[in-house]
Amino acid sequence: MADIKIQDLSYYYPETIKPALNKINLEIPEGQFVIMVGNSGSGKSTLLRTISGLAPSFYNGNLLGKIYLDGADAAQLSRHELVQEVGIVFQNPESQLVMMNVEQEIAFGLENLGLPDKLMKRRVMEMSSSLGLSAYLESYVAELSGGQKQKAALAGVLAMHPGILLLDEPTSQLDPVAAEELLNIIRRLNEDNGTTIIMIEQRLERCCHLADRILVMENGGISADLKAGTRANGIWMQKAPAAYLPPLPRLFASAGYKELPLTVKQGRQIIKSYNLERKAGSNFNSYPDKPPVSGIDPRKDLVDIHDLWFTYPNTGEALKNINLKIREGDFIAVLGENGAGKTTLLKNINGLLKPSRGSIQVAGKDTRELTIEEMALSVAYLSQDPNDYLFMPSVREEIDFTIKNLKLSEDGYSEEIIRNFKLDRYIQCNPRDLSTGERQRVALASVLVSKPRLLLLDEPTRGLDYQLKEQLGKLLLEINQQGTAVMMVTHDVDFAAEYARDICLMFDGGVIERGSKYEVLQHSTFYSPQIGKLFNNIVDDVITVDEGVKVLLELTRSINSEIVSAL
Amino acid sequence: MLTYQSKDNLIFKLHPFTQMTFIGIVFILSLIFSHPIYLLGLLMSVWVVIAASGNLAEWKGYMKFSIMMVVFIVVINTLFARAGTTIIYSGPEIPLIGSLEISMEALAYGLGMSVRLLVIISIFCLYTYAVNPDKALRLFSRLGGKSVLAITLSVRLFPLMMKDFQRISEIQRCRGVKLATGSWWERTRNSIPIISIMLLSCMERSLQLAESMYARGYGSGPRSYYDKDLWRPRDYLILIVTAIALAVGIWSAVMGWSAFSYYPVLEQINPLELIGAGITALTLLVPAILNWGWMKWPILKSRI
């Protein structure tokens, strides 16, 4: 277990003039749980790399200043000593696992240290049982789920018994359930073993209750150093920049509240203290764009899925008897656990897979009779990883590539998209050099340039921070308002509640429910956004941030007017 | 994903070193022996061991394909070999070959060599289906550290790249890249984007992998080896008998018993000289015999 002391630390990547880290001074006492936030390019990952010694010894470049680990100058430690002092886990589990099965993966670092066989066995046993990997020891890494892979990567690092554990967005590629499990493991490590932890994490709502301290990084420096104090009381949040606040406290902050809750429970207590219940429903106007409850929808069908069944040759039935209509102007979020058939449904709609039984009509034509290229004109598809799209040397060429492939006429629409997506600045840049959010916008532009009538998205918010999520959401709303129907598969209930109009819940290959988000999400326990949970049984039909702010403002106003009238 | 599927029998429950030794010795003997009876003995043992390992169905698949090669070898040899003296068929003049003469010696030689080929293919089949590739690789890793790690990494990354390829192809097809239609040349040209994306992603991934390996101390000093495979009496038994098989095989070769001259006339088979064939075949059958006992008597299962 160890403390970290950083003095005047600056770091330059090779062949750069601008420092990635600029004169950082920081002390982290032993056993502290630190969460680091900041925009991409703010230096968060670089700071972790310098502490772990990867910068400069792996990256080269130039390091000025000192880092002391447990009082010892890190630059004087041999790599052998350093890797046993500091362990680092990266974002993507796929690209940090080396061996073929879990057991060897855990042993890999120990072998590198040249430890005796007996000790290695003991460490492997301890790691696998404490991380719940015992049943998978012999499993091939390729056959594990994302969460299990990340646990294996963590086990491989922890087996070396580091006193300091650094984590670079370890949950960003995981679904919520797996992320929760991993965070629990990390919390236990900190609480039970006193391991010092520095974790970069964008989604603070998942983990800020774990932290002792929150560091905000900007432009290579630490712009805010917030002591969380006793855990789970959110005093730090009053000082934190609004952009890094989790959605719930941000909601209260934007309604002008001084008291900021961290959990739904605390939020409900605040609301109850204002004695809202008796006013509930009295003067609060429920959401305006509620679609007509009954009657015939005048909009045209874009996609008509009729008795759809789909079976994979190896793994069996993935879709069971699905009937679903997507109309012009729809904005649907598909929610459901892993393996519910969400992605399979998307691939059936865009023609990558053809129905085993039943039919799908896209704009009046059966998908069986259309090639994927023909369908690409009316249905666009954006997958999870924008890197799967980008290979051209510039953004311009990347977008023109689709135009050329689909033999579209250049009518200035691509210019319009580039402007709308705020890509004009990067038009000559290599898309791979851009940040995550920008790369996603380039990929999105490159599929939307064909003016599709339907846009399909698979987990578009994975790995995005609050700001990027908001930008993406607004962009999708804009696209939707311009007449493109949107259907997205997501695990992010809050995002779905904020931007989608309809929700489609899938379970075990079937559609369990489809309806307006207010009907589907309002009273659900698991599939309900935080804001929905906050106002559940207090005020109906409140699930987006705007609605929440409105209710909270209404609440204070009525209290104020009561005070005024009482006076 | 892998051809290797673990099965519940003794052959799969051996130490990888034992498995590899057995396979290696059969391979060596198949090269030393040229006597058809010796080779047949080997083939018989390997066949029984494969049956014991429960991979007979896979072996039959291999054999179907090998029989075609055997026919080819025999035909070519009988047509072109001129050293035989016992002509069993003499036919008309054929361009390039000359007069068609088929000798018994050439036919026998072709068949004898085919048996060797079948032994080698069978032992390869046993290796493919009964030896955990991962463990075999680790067995060698002590010999060639870095190169074995490179192989391990590529084996590990292979399924990942297959998935990448599939996913990227799908995505690019949705962008109008034609991969299923058009001429061969068009399709090849259209797959350039997919290959470039895979290359770029691979480069990024390998940098990240290298970083992760470095962070876990790879290359920071001498390595040790994590070894979980245990030695059991069955391993010693089989190692001893395969060593006997090797010794007898070499002895037979030194004595000239396992050699056989096909030309100009087939050599007389001396029954005494076949002792070596009998012993090697029988000793190499021991794994199968042990497996049979292992299945039949729980007491033996617990003892060995």
Side-chain angles (χ1 to χ4, degrees):
Chain A
M1 311 310 111
D3 58 355
I4 306 166
K5 200 170 157 193
I6 296 172
Q7 278 178 354
D8 291 328
L9 179 73
S10 295
Y11 176 75
Y12 299 80
Y13 279 105
E15 292 159 43
T16 55
I17 323 158
K18 196 174 164 271
L21 296 176
N22 197 1
K23 296 235 160 103
I24 289 185
N25 282 291
L26 181 67
E27 265 185 60
I28 295 172
E30 182 188 307
Q32 199 167 54
F33 195 135
V34 181
I35 288 176
M36 229 188 321
V37 293
N39 292 328
S40 69
S42 61
K44 308 176 303 267
S45 300
T46 310
L47 184 59
L48 293 196
R49 285 174 186 152
T50 52
I51 297 173
S52 63
L54 288 169
S57 63
F58 180 79
Y59 282 93
N60 294 325
N62 199 5
L63 184 134
L64 307 169
K66 292 270 183 212
I67 299 171
Y68 295 98
L69 302 172
D70 247 355
D73 186 350
Q76 305 299 325
L77 295 175
S78 71
R79 263 182 65 208
H80 243 77
E81 292 164 319
L82 196 60
V83 295
Q84 294 181 74
E85 191 80 44
V86 188
I88 181 164
V89 176
F90 301 93
Q91 202 177 87
N92 191 348
E94 286 294 8
S95 47
Q96 51 186 324
L97 299 175
V98 183
M99 305 307 276
M100 278 190 279
N101 73 32
V102 175
E103 186 170 19
Q104 287 165 13
E105 189 61 42
I106 301 176
F108 177 73
L110 307 174
E111 292 179 320
N112 293 335
L113 293 176
L115 297 183
D117 194 54
K118 210 173 158 190
L119 184 58
M120 287 200 275
K121 283 196 177 120
R122 180 158 168 197
R123 298 257 184 107
V124 169
M125 167 231 157
E126 281 180 7
M127 277 309 123
S128 55
S129 35
S130 69
L131 266 61
L133 285 168
S134 302
Y136 306 106
L137 276 183
E138 304 259 311
S139 307
Y140 285 105
V141 165
E143 289 161 358
L144 300 178
S145 71
Q148 288 163 341
K149 280 182 193 158
Q150 194 62 300
K151 274 205 280 183
L154 180 64
V157 169
L158 290 177
M160 300 165 81
H161 282 192
I164 300 165
L165 180 64
L166 311 176
L167 302 123
D168 192 347
E169 298 196 44
T171 63
S172 72
Q173 304 297 318
L174 307 181
D175 64 77
V177 180
E180 187 72 42
E181 198 187 341
L182 194 78
L183 288 171
N184 265 326
I185 293 172
I186 297 166
R187 177 188 59 82
R188 244 176 42 215
L189 271 172
N190 175 250
E191 287 179 359
D192 299 351
N193 300 357
T195 308
T196 311
I197 287 169
I198 308 179
M199 177 164 76
I200 300 176
E201 179 63 61
Q202 301 290 1
R203 307 266 171 101
L204 279 178
E205 75 267 28
R206 282 178 185 169
C207 62
C208 63
H209 57 285
L210 307 173
D212 298 309
R213 184 176 181 185
I214 292 164
L215 294 176
V216 182
M217 286 199 69
E218 260 166 57
N219 293 322
I222 293 167
S223 65
D225 183 350
L226 308 156
K227 301 265 185 309
T230 46
R231 283 181 189 178
N233 84 11
I235 294 165
W236 63 273
M237 291 185 296
Q238 287 156 9
K239 288 182 244 157
Y244 301 112
L245 281 182
L248 200 59
R250 189 139 49 116
L251 173 76
F252 280 77
S254 41
Y257 282 59
K258 285 272 171 301
E259 216 176 335
L260 300 182
L262 207 48
T263 60
V264 171
K265 182 172 144 186
Q266 291 167 357
R268 287 179 71 95
Q269 278 162 356
I270 296 175
I271 294 176
K272 294 222 168 171
S273 71
Y274 282 95
N275 204 6
L276 182 70
E277 277 123 311
R278 64 194 166 90
K279 293 176 201 67
S282 60
N283 55 356
F284 179 70
N285 198 3
S286 65
Y287 59 99
D289 61 342
K290 203 170 188 171
V293 179
S294 61
I296 301 141
D297 198 324
R299 293 172 298 156
K300 269 196 263 171
D301 287 348
L302 202 54
V303 177
D304 187 359
I305 303 174
H306 188 68
D307 291 340
L308 168 68
W309 292 72
F310 183 82
T311 309
Y312 283 109
N314 300 328
T315 45
E317 284 180 343
L319 294 178
K320 299 171 191 169
N321 201 22
I322 289 184
N323 286 289
L324 193 72
K325 280 190 168 120
I326 305 174
R327 297 199 170 86
E328 283 178 339
D330 266 347
F331 192 147
I332 306 172
V334 184
L335 302 175
E337 60 186 10
N338 285 335
K342 306 186 296 286
T343 303
T344 311
L345 179 62
L346 283 198
K347 287 186 178 174
N348 268 282
I349 297 175
N350 71 5
L352 280 172
L353 300 173
K354 306 285 178 187
S356 304
R357 290 204 295 282
S359 70
I360 302 179
Q361 306 241 324
V362 173
K365 283 185 194 151
D366 196 305
T367 55
R368 281 204 195 85
E369 287 150 22
L370 297 168
T371 63
I372 296 166
E373 294 83 24
E374 286 166 333
M375 294 196 63
L377 288 167
S378 46
V379 182
Y381 175 60
L382 185 75
S383 78
Q384 287 171 19
D385 187 357
N387 282 343
D388 290 347
Y389 290 80
L390 311 174
F391 69 102
M392 285 298 205
S394 75
V395 172
R396 165 95 270 164
E397 286 164 273
E398 197 65 60
I399 291 167
D400 289 348
F401 180 72
T402 312
I403 299 182
K404 213 175 67 204
N405 273 326
L406 294 174
K407 302 192 176 68
L408 303 167
S409 55
E410 177 56 81
D411 53 359
Y413 185 63
S414 63
E415 299 304 323
E416 200 181 317
I417 278 199
I418 288 169
R419 257 198 320 279
N420 282 349
F421 283 31
K422 300 188 183 67
L423 291 168
D424 1 21
R425 272 202 294 150
Y426 311 112
I427 198 75
Q428 295 304 334
C429 296
N430 186 327
R432 289 225 164 207
D433 293 338
L434 302 175
S435 72
T436 323
E438 289 155 0
R439 264 180 297 174
Q440 193 182 43
R441 289 212 297 279
V442 177
L444 194 54
S446 79
V447 297
L448 283 177
V449 73
S450 66
K451 295 188 199 164
R453 300 172 70 185
L454 173 64
L455 169 65
L456 303 173
L457 303 112
D458 198 348
E459 290 284 351
T461 60
R462 181 168 280 192
L464 299 187
D465 61 25
Y466 302 131
Q467 282 163 299
L468 291 176
K469 262 168 66 174
E470 203 179 316
Q471 281 172 14
L472 175 72
K474 285 187 176 151
L475 201 57
L476 291 179
L477 280 180
E478 219 172 278
I479 294 162
N480 184 237
Q481 271 150 17
Q482 286 165 2
T484 306
V486 178
M487 182 170 185
M488 63 176 181
V489 160
T490 184
H491 278 117
D492 193 330
V493 182
D494 293 283
F495 187 77
E498 190 64 38
Y499 299 101
R501 206 164 300 118
D502 283 3
I503 302 290
C504 170
L505 280 183
M506 287 191 74
F507 177 70
D508 191 25
V511 170
I512 298 296
E513 196 175 359
R514 154 141 194 214
S516 137
K517 61 180 171 185
Y518 296 97
E519 294 162 28
V520 181
L521 298 181
Q522 177 74 167
H523 299 294
S524 153
T525 42
F526 187 70
Y527 286 108
S528 175
Q530 278 195 314
I531 293 172
K533 289 175 186 162
L534 182 70
F535 292 108
N536 190 18
N537 292 331
I538 300 179
V539 185
D540 274 346
D541 296 335
V542 182
I543 58 177
T544 69
V545 175
D546 275 354
E547 291 158 1
V549 171
K550 240 187 256 171
V551 176
L552 289 177
L553 286 175
E554 192 99 359
L555 180 55
T556 38
R557 203 172 322 137
S558 65
I559 298 279
N560 288 342
S561 60
E562 249 172 51
I563 297 169
V564 170
S565 63
L567 288 173
Chain B
M1 181 190 76
L2 289 164
T3 43
Y4 170 81
Q5 291 285 326
S6 184
K7 292 193 167 89
D8 185 27
N9 62 51
L10 180 115
I11 310 297
F12 282 88
K13 302 274 189 288
L14 293 173
H15 192 284
F17 182 78
T18 316
Q19 293 177 323
M20 293 303 288
T21 310
F22 179 82
I23 287 165
I25 285 178
V26 173
F27 181 67
I28 291 168
L29 290 180
S30 73
L31 295 182
I32 294 178
F33 295 165
S34 59
H35 197 296
I37 303 293
Y38 276 76
L39 288 169
L40 273 174
L42 281 183
L43 185 61
M44 191 262 310
S45 310
V46 176
W47 172 66
V48 176
V49 171
I50 289 176
S53 77
N55 287 307
L56 210 55
E58 288 81 1
W59 180 75
K60 278 183 187 155
Y62 271 64
M63 284 303 113
K64 269 182 204 151
F65 152 81
S66 318
I67 293 296
M68 298 199 315
M69 283 170 73
V70 164
V71 170
F72 187 69
I73 291 175
V74 172
V75 168
I76 294 288
N77 195 63
T78 34
L79 285 181
F80 287 92
R82 287 277 173 269
T85 47
T86 319
I87 306 296
I88 50 173
Y89 176 81
S90 128
E93 197 82 6
I94 289 176
L96 293 171
I97 300 176
S99 66
L100 186 68
E101 278 187 345
I102 294 178
S103 68
M104 187 154 80
E105 289 77 15
L107 188 65
Y109 183 80
L111 286 171
M113 290 309 101
S114 306
V115 178
R116 175 182 285 168
L117 181 77
L118 293 182
V119 173
I120 293 175
I121 290 175
S122 302
I123 203 72
F124 183 71
C125 167
L126 184 68
Y127 173 74
T128 313
Y129 288 98
V131 182
N132 185 336
D134 212 8
K135 290 184 175 173
L137 206 57
R138 295 198 45 97
L139 207 60
F140 294 123
S141 67
R142 277 152 226 235
L143 305 172
K146 275 186 190 156
S147 50
V148 171
L149 187 78
I151 298 170
T152 314
L153 265 177
S154 44
V155 175
R156 141 113 185 81
L157 293 180
F158 190 72
L160 216 59
M161 288 178 62
M162 292 301 289
K163 266 193 219 159
D164 282 357
F165 180 75
Q166 167 130 30
R167 199 185 60 242
I168 297 167
S169 309
E170 285 181 356
I171 284 168
Q172 296 298 335
R173 287 179 75 185
C174 294
R175 259 177 106 183
V177 176
K178 292 185 184 62
L179 294 172
T181 52
S183 68
W184 177 84
W185 170 242
E186 277 168 344
R187 271 180 290 160
T188 312
R189 208 187 43 201
N190 286 344
S191 63
I192 290 174
I194 293 148
I195 305 296
S196 9
I197 293 172
M198 282 185 66
L199 262 176
L200 288 166
S201 300
C202 269
M203 270 150 64
E204 281 166 18
R205 184 179 286 146
S206 47
L207 185 73
Q208 288 166 353
L209 258 177
E211 188 179 6
S212 154
M213 285 163 66
Y214 190 90
R216 277 185 285 164
Y218 183 72
S220 67
R223 298 188 85 214
S224 57
Y225 291 92
Y226 180 79
D227 184 6
K228 224 191 84 175
D229 297 310
L230 300 171
W231 292 93
R232 299 182 180 84
R234 60 188 90 143
D235 293 307
Y236 301 118
L237 277 170
I238 291 171
L239 281 177
I240 291 167
V241 294
T242 46
I244 294 173
L246 182 66
V248 172
I250 292 173
W251 177 251
S252 313
V254 170
M255 298 298 288
W257 298 343
S258 68
F260 187 78
S261 60
Y262 290 87
Y263 301 117
V265 206
L266 290 181
E267 187 188 317
Q268 278 292 319
I269 293 177
N270 180 353
L272 265 180
E273 290 182 1
L274 293 182
I275 280 181
I279 297 175
T280 46
L282 276 177
T283 44
L284 291 176
L285 272 177
V286 167
I289 297 167
L290 280 180
N291 178 59
W292 178 74
W294 197 73
M295 297 286 207
K296 200 164 170 65
W297 297 300
I299 183 81
L300 187 69
K301 197 171 179 174
S302 64
R303 292 285 170 181
I304 61 165

